[in-house]
Amino acid sequence: MYQREDLHLDPEACEVSYKGTLLRLYPKEYELLKLFLDHPKQVMSSSAIIQHIWADDSIPTENAVRTHIKGLRRKLRDAGAEDLIQTVHGLGYRLKPSSGNTTKSDNSLSSPLMKLLALRNMEYVIVERDLTIQKISPDVKKYSDYPGDLAIGKEVTLAFPELSGIESILLEILENQRQSFEIKEIARACNSLRPDYINIYVMADLTEEGSNQQLLVLFEDSSEKMVWKQQVVQQQNESYLLMIGSGESESGN
């Protein structure tokens, strides 16, 4: 949950309200507002905004960004939030400086687990038995090759096709027949903003009174580790080739 004075944004319900009045925002207007709340002190250029909230197959023009900004401003102004988004001429857009702070909280998971996820820079989705998404963490979109399909109520395999074909394994986890499942070092396919390689971990969500009727799917950036492993393999191959070359030289003599 994000809160800035009288403005509230609920990322689980994808809802925005001001002084209790619900704002009817288009999806991109919602994503724009969330982006500004994620970076309350940062000036966001049009190119940075495009990079954060548009998929590769639908890159807009800067005029389209201005149109969405204009629509968001109008709806905020109609609700009573005047001049919340400011233009910094020649640079981009930012939230109006405030004496208060933009606060962000997430009570979806237990506090110890949240600390662990933050420590390892992991994101998550919580999935129902029918594989529809119930909850998402704020930045999990960057781990999806199809971020446009990542939304509450949608099937998780649309955003993460890596989970397709393992439904029987997921059911075993829900039925306590298996503790967890993992898929490691998955290469990026479509979304250029996604890490080069990611790990996916699936386990039962036991945060609500011991219930195991939901799945907790965790995402981790494994790019750095993969680069290190590739460098080790390359060095081993080069050493092996040097040994072969040296052996052939000695036999020739």
Side-chain angles (χ1 to χ4, degrees), residues 11-241:
E12 295 180 6
C14 293
E15 291 182 347
V16 177
S17 62
Y18 184 77
K19 291 186 177 180
T21 300
L22 192 65
L23 277 65
R24 299 187 179 277
L25 303 181
Y26 290 119
K28 283 295 182 286
E29 293 172 346
Y30 168 86
E31 292 181 40
L32 276 169
L33 180 58
K34 184 176 178 296
L35 179 62
F36 287 124
L37 291 172
D38 275 327
H39 307 278
K41 297 181 180 180
Q42 183 175 340
V43 177
M44 306 294 294
S45 66
S46 294
S47 59
I49 291 172
I50 291 171
Q51 186 178 23
H52 275 85
I53 66 175
W54 266 274
D56 288 344
D57 58 352
S58 58
I59 301 298
T61 63
E62 292 191 4
N63 285 336
V65 174
R66 285 194 289 270
T67 298
H68 286 290
I69 291 283
K70 182 178 179 180
L72 176 58
R73 280 173 166 165
R74 176 178 56 79
K75 292 176 182 180
L76 289 169
R77 183 175 61 249
D78 291 346
E82 291 282 350
D83 301 324
L84 182 62
I85 298 175
Q86 297 183 330
T87 298
V88 181
H89 293 289
L91 295 176
Y93 308 91
R94 69 175 181 184
L95 281 184
K96 178 181 179 181
S98 171
S99 57
N101 295 321
T102 298
T103 60
K104 173 182 172 183
S105 63
D106 190 335
N107 299 319
S108 302
L109 301 177
S110 63
S111 180
L113 182 55
M114 286 300 298
K115 291 179 180 178
L116 175 62
L117 298 185
L119 182 65
R120 295 186 59 176
N121 293 318
M122 299 176 77
E123 299 294 330
Y124 70 87
V125 297
I126 295 178
V127 182
E128 297 282 6
R129 290 182 66 92
D130 60 0
L131 300 186
T132 57
I133 298 172
Q134 186 194 35
K135 299 176 182 178
I136 60 177
S137 61
D139 294 320
V140 71
K141 178 180 290 189
K142 69 180 182 181
Y143 287 93
S144 172
D145 262 328
Y146 302 94
D149 290 317
L150 181 61
I152 306 296
K154 280 196 172 185
E155 189 171 332
V156 69
T157 54
L158 296 176
F160 301 100
E162 299 90 348
L163 299 175
S164 298
I166 61 169
E167 289 80 3
S168 60
I169 295 176
L170 302 182
L171 183 59
E172 288 177 1
I173 296 174
L174 287 169
E175 299 297 336
N176 285 327
Q177 298 174 14
R178 177 193 289 259
Q179 285 189 336
S180 61
F181 179 76
E182 60 187 43
I183 314 173
K184 289 194 171 184
E185 299 164 358
I186 307 167
R188 179 176 65 201
C190 301
N191 183 6
S192 64
L193 300 180
R194 194 176 107 158
D196 291 331
Y197 297 92
I198 66 172
N199 296 334
I200 299 179
Y201 306 91
V202 186
M203 62 192 71
D205 174 25
L206 302 177
T207 59
E208 297 185 6
E209 299 181 356
S211 169
N212 64 343
Q213 298 302 304
Q214 296 174 335
L215 290 171
L216 174 62
V217 186
L218 305 176
F219 302 89
E220 178 183 43
D221 185 351
S222 61
S223 302
E224 185 175 347
K225 185 176 180 180
M226 273 296 295
V227 170
W228 176 80
K229 289 176 65 176
Q230 290 168 353
Q231 290 174 345
V232 170
V233 171
Q234 182 178 353
Q235 290 173 358
Q236 290 175 338
N237 290 339
E238 290 175 352
S239 298
Y240 179 70
L241 291 174

